[in-house]
Amino acid sequence: MRVILGWISWPGQPISPAQHGGETKSSSFPFGDQPQRIPTPVTFPRRRCHRPHPTPHPSNALSNHSIAAPAMIRRRPSSPAPATPLEDDDLLEEILLRLPPHPSSLPRASAVCARWRRLLSDRRFLRRFGKHHRKPPLLGCFSGVGCRNTVFNPTLPAPDRIPAARFPAPLPPSSHEHWDLVGCRHGLAVILNPQRKEVILWHPLTGHQRRVPYPPWFTGNRTSHMHHASVLCAAAAAGEEDGHMPGECHLHPFKLAFVSCKVLEPTELCACLYMSESAAWGDMITTPTTSSIYNGMPAVMAGNALCWLLRGGNILEFDLKSERLGVIERPTDAHVDGGETFWTWQLIRTEDGGLGLAVLSKPQLTIQLWERKRNCAAGVVGWEPQRTIRLNKLFPSTVLGDVLQKFPRMKLACITEVVMVGYDEDANVIVLATYIGDFTLRLDQLRLTRFTRRYCRDFKTFYPYSSFYTTGRGVDGGAEI
């Protein structure tokens, strides 16, 4: 594009209209009329400018010497962009529902934005989350004698590892009272207060407590009688999988079973069932026995019955549906090498929800699993042997190598001395105690994992605690043991 910048005429060179292509104009001169020379236009290239040209306002009048305004380009209005899948609350909820049930999953997802936090904190979503995953993860184990010495031992690795200080055990108001933790189930822990003769139901996630007095027929004390208790959600006892979510377990109806027997020369076992809906104890049920209950061994839920281990390996069965009490003898072919101790027998739950028994043999370092089944041909119920677990092949070589490097004179037999000190029904995990720490043994995967580290003999009962950790309090980022 070229712009006319001026007119240049050359003297002595008249320009005719034919050369210019224009006309000749006349004007009055003192020397007479002469034809006016029309100068030849000279053009120069226009200099480019990177500055945007101003758009003239429509109200400005355009003269013959003004530059014409550029033509306005009309664009068709664009249609709104289609919504992404994450903008749909229903679809987003289905995606979040499939997050793994680890303690860090929901708190981390809640930190994305306020909308995600609103969806993840909704009670309806939390119930669906529990129904979808069904089995809550094992968060850790409580251990210690008395609530004053009870501590929480996390079992999960980072970033799901929960600090021990997150679950402090409740303390009795007076130093004269002695509280005993006797088991956990469905997010609730059971504590016995023999001085006040009451059962305390404690919810570790929220700290809520509920107290239930002992049955009116119980007149013994802590020294003369051995007593135990176990709790379960009423919906779980009826076979309804409604998802036991943290923060709501103490709001659901529950059942509380209480059993007792004499410490010296026991002749009978007594049991009673408490219903929270009626806030009353049922009738006392008795059965003859010659064995007492292991005080530090919690009950195991198998089918519709709560089962306690008796001294010598026999089992006390309390059927909650029929409210019957009976004693099941241990397998006659279950041989225990190395002597029977408190840690030789462990009640377990089979894959189909039935009753099982784990028997530990120390010299061979094996665990023999038994299952109680009904013989269809004979119509009787008996014990059948299942698989045998060889623990010496499951210990991580890195753990044993690290111990032998630090203590080269320590014998391998001392390192691998094992006792069974706890069991979790939901995860199907046996807790094992050794000289080099405490381990969890997953029966479905046959995998040993160390969650506490030590180099001495310190055997005590562990009470596993399983729950969906969705409180959003955060988890610890500590290193894995």
Side-chain angles (χ1 to χ4, degrees):
M1 180 177 182
R2 296 178 182 273
V3 180
I4 300 176
L5 300 180
W7 300 91
I8 300 177
S9 62
W10 303 96
Q13 294 183 3
I15 301 176
S16 64
Q19 292 175 346
H20 179 62
E23 2 178 280
T24 303
K25 297 183 181 179
S26 62
S27 58
S28 58
F29 289 92
F31 303 101
D33 296 334
Q34 294 183 3
Q36 183 180 0
R37 293 187 178 93
I38 301 177
T40 303
V42 179
T43 60
F44 296 92
R46 183 181 179 183
R47 186 176 181 180
R48 295 182 179 273
C49 181
H50 297 286
R51 292 179 299 174
H53 295 283
T55 302
H57 198 274
S59 62
N60 296 338
L62 299 177
S63 60
N64 295 333
H65 303 285
S66 62
I67 301 176
M72 302 297 293
I73 301 176
R74 296 182 179 179
R75 295 182 178 180
R76 184 177 301 175
S78 59
S79 58
T84 61
L86 294 182
E87 293 179 359
D88 187 351
D89 284 357
D90 294 336
L91 184 56
L92 177 61
E93 183 176 328
E94 292 297 327
I95 296 175
L96 297 176
L97 196 67
R98 285 155 178 80
L99 289 173
H102 304 320
S104 64
S105 297
L106 297 189
R108 284 185 169 186
S110 300
V112 173
C113 61
R115 175 167 162 263
W116 284 34
R117 190 180 307 113
R118 173 179 55 83
L119 289 175
L120 294 173
S121 60
D122 184 65
R123 284 190 175 184
R124 185 181 63 86
F125 172 81
L126 295 178
R127 291 193 188 97
R128 292 191 61 198
F129 191 79
K131 287 182 180 180
H132 179 76
H133 293 285
R134 299 180 61 184
K135 293 183 178 181
L138 175 61
L139 303 181
C141 302
F142 291 98
S143 64
V145 180
C147 286
R148 297 186 185 276
N149 302 318
T150 298
V151 295
F152 178 75
N153 305 274
T155 57
L156 295 176
D160 299 308
R161 192 175 185 85
I162 300 175
R166 203 57 62 81
F167 296 142
L171 300 177
S174 173
S175 59
H176 301 287
E177 295 185 14
H178 184 87
W179 292 5
D180 295 320
L181 179 66
V182 294
C184 303
R185 183 178 292 107
H186 297 157
L188 294 173
V190 182
I191 300 174
L192 297 181
N193 184 358
Q195 282 76 24
R196 295 181 180 269
K197 295 184 179 181
E198 62 182 7
V199 182
I200 303 173
L201 301 180
W202 171 48
H203 195 266
L205 284 175
T206 60
H208 290 95
Q209 297 182 18
R210 181 164 180 175
R211 300 169 186 265
V212 179
Y214 279 9
W217 51 263
F218 180 78
T219 58
N221 52 43
R222 188 171 183 266
T223 58
S224 63
H225 283 72
M226 189 76 66
H227 44 274
H228 214 290
S230 186
V231 68
L232 70 156
C233 184
E240 301 175 7
E241 298 178 357
D242 63 338
H244 309 285
M245 300 305 303
E248 294 185 353
C249 295
H250 62 289
L251 302 176
H252 286 265
F254 64 89
K255 294 183 179 182
L256 178 64
F258 185 89
V259 295
S260 175
C261 68
K262 290 183 178 181
V263 177
L264 300 176
E265 298 180 357
T267 57
E268 65 178 6
L269 289 165
C270 306
C272 192
L273 187 63
Y274 177 87
M275 306 290 293
S276 65
E277 294 178 325
S278 60
W281 289 96
D283 298 332
M284 182 180 63
I285 310 170
T286 61
T287 185
T289 184
T290 57
S291 303
S292 60
I293 305 173
Y294 273 126
N295 190 27
M297 195 71 69
V300 173
M301 185 75 182
N304 297 321
L306 285 171
C307 301
W308 284 268
L309 188 66
L310 303 177
R311 297 184 182 275
N314 292 340
I315 302 166
L316 174 66
E317 183 185 38
F318 185 14
D319 194 317
L320 303 179
K321 190 173 182 180
S322 61
E323 295 192 11
R324 293 182 179 179
L325 195 66
V327 176
I328 301 175
E329 295 184 358
R330 72 180 193 182
T332 56
D333 297 334
H335 301 290
V336 179
D337 297 329
E340 296 184 10
T341 64
F342 178 77
W343 320 104
T344 303
W345 314 89
Q346 176 61 59
L347 297 178
I348 61 174
R349 186 163 62 185
T350 59
E351 296 180 357
D352 57 354
L355 179 62
L357 182 65
V359 184
L360 174 65
S361 295
K362 291 185 179 181
Q364 293 81 14
L365 207 61
T366 60
I367 296 179
Q368 175 70 48
L369 301 182
W370 294 78
E371 183 177 1
R372 189 165 175 81
K373 290 185 176 181
R374 179 179 295 275
N375 192 328
C376 298
V380 296
V381 180
W383 293 99
E384 294 184 7
Q386 302 300 312
R387 55 182 174 175
T388 300
I389 303 174
R390 299 187 180 276
L391 297 177
N392 54 355
K393 296 183 178 180
L394 299 180
F395 278 98
S397 58
T398 55
V399 174
L400 298 179
D402 178 62
V403 175
L404 293 177
Q405 185 177 3
K406 292 183 179 180
F407 306 97
R409 295 183 179 181
M410 183 177 290
K411 297 181 180 180
L412 185 62
C414 296
I415 298 176
T416 57
E417 181 180 353
V418 177
V419 292
M420 297 185 294
V421 293
Y423 175 73
D424 182 66
E425 304 169 354
D426 297 317
N428 198 18
V429 168
I430 295 179
V431 183
L432 304 175
T434 69
Y435 274 92
I436 58 177
D438 302 306
F439 293 79
T440 56
L441 172 61
R442 294 190 64 94
L443 296 180
D444 55 346
Q445 302 175 1
L446 293 182
R447 185 180 62 186
L448 270 176
T449 305
R450 183 165 65 168
F451 64 93
T452 64
R453 186 192 301 265
R454 66 170 177 271
Y455 301 104
C456 62
R457 193 177 190 272
D458 184 19
F459 300 160
K460 51 183 175 291
T461 305
F462 282 81
Y463 302 96
Y465 182 72
S466 299
S467 181
F468 292 103
Y469 191 86
T470 60
T471 60
R473 299 179 183 178
V475 292
D476 187 19
E480 181 179 359
I481 294 180

